[in-house]
Amino acid sequence: MRIPFIAGNWKMFKTGREIVTFAEEFKALYQDTDVKTAICAPYVYLGLLKNLFSGTDIKVGAQNAFYEEEGAFTGEVSVKMLEDLGVDYCIIGHSERRQYFGETDESINKKLKRLFRGTVTPILCVGENLRQREKEEQYLVVRDQLMGALSGISPEDAASLIIAYEPVWAIGTGKTATPEQAEDMCEFIRNAVEALYGEAVADQVVIQYGGSVKPANASEIMNMSNIDGALVGGASLNAKDFMDIIDF
Ligand code: PGA
């Protein structure tokens, strides 16, 4: 049985004071639920969030990490540092990092390998852009991203992976994939995982959809059989909206 998992991706939004306000509102709204919940925030606020959410079931995630242990890598943050803070999850390969920061399948693969050696669970993002969808290349693109990211990853590690399917054309655009489009690709991803690792692993892998998930569309997306969760950008910045999505 896969447990639904809804994570917020705050991207480069909110400062300390806004985070404290959010946490107060969110903890007041938060009810015991069967849905796993996390917020992925900028590095500088991960320690603050861990403190604010201590004693609750709300987990904390980073939005990136570097694969080297330590060294002269100005501006980077290691997985060991995330572990030191008790961070639970780490987004890897978000399309914005691929687009603006030169993230490649090769660096994503190294990051996943490093994360799997430790205690932080990776959320691997894949997804095609608009041009690729218009050319009907979405399956090829996502398959290549998966193969590149998962190269040399063991079945045991793959089973604990979270994969977020985020079509780039639906991110921050208000243009959600239809539940059928989202399900179709999440099923494709599960089949690709099965081809690589077998049925037992494919059954365990949690697959999220991301791209303009809102309270209004969360339940129809979450009702799809291959969609186990959501990665929520804009709507996770508001405590009430994010709670309504968790309550789908
Ligand atoms: P969005 O972002 O919900 O604002 O579309 C999703 C994401 O980029 O993870």
Side-chain angles (χ1 to χ4, degrees), residues 9 11 94-96 166 170-173 210-214 231-235:
N9 173 14
K11 311 193 177 189
H94 190 280
S95 60
E96 287 149 18
E166 297 206 306
I171 295 178
T173 57
S212 298
V213 175
K214 306 277 179 255
L231 186 55
V232 185

Side-chain angles (χ1 to χ4, degrees), residues 51-64:
N51 285 335
L52 290 167
F53 291 151
S54 78
T56 75
D57 291 336
I58 307 159
K59 306 290 186 199
V60 173
Q63 300 172 3
N64 186 29

Side-chain angles (χ1 to χ4, degrees), residues 14-53:
K14 291 196 191 292
T15 55
R17 190 191 289 259
E18 292 164 336
I19 288 174
V20 171
T21 306
F22 176 97
E24 280 166 4
E25 277 177 41
F26 189 59
K27 282 193 289 186
L29 294 166
Y30 189 78
Q31 313 259 356
D32 239 6
T33 152
D34 295 336
V35 177
K36 284 197 203 172
T37 307
I39 289 191
C40 302
Y43 291 134
V44 283
Y45 297 120
L46 294 174
L48 172 65
L49 272 177
K50 279 301 287 184
N51 285 335
L52 290 167
F53 291 151

Side-chain angles (χ1 to χ4, degrees), residues 196-208:
L196 282 172
Y197 296 111
E199 199 182 332
V201 173
D203 274 348
Q204 277 183 68
V205 165
V206 169
I207 303 179
Q208 299 176 317

Side-chain angles (χ1 to χ4, degrees), residues 165-180:
Y165 168 55
E166 297 206 306
V168 178
W169 47 272
I171 295 178
T173 57
K175 205 170 160 185
T176 329
T178 64
E180 293 73 26

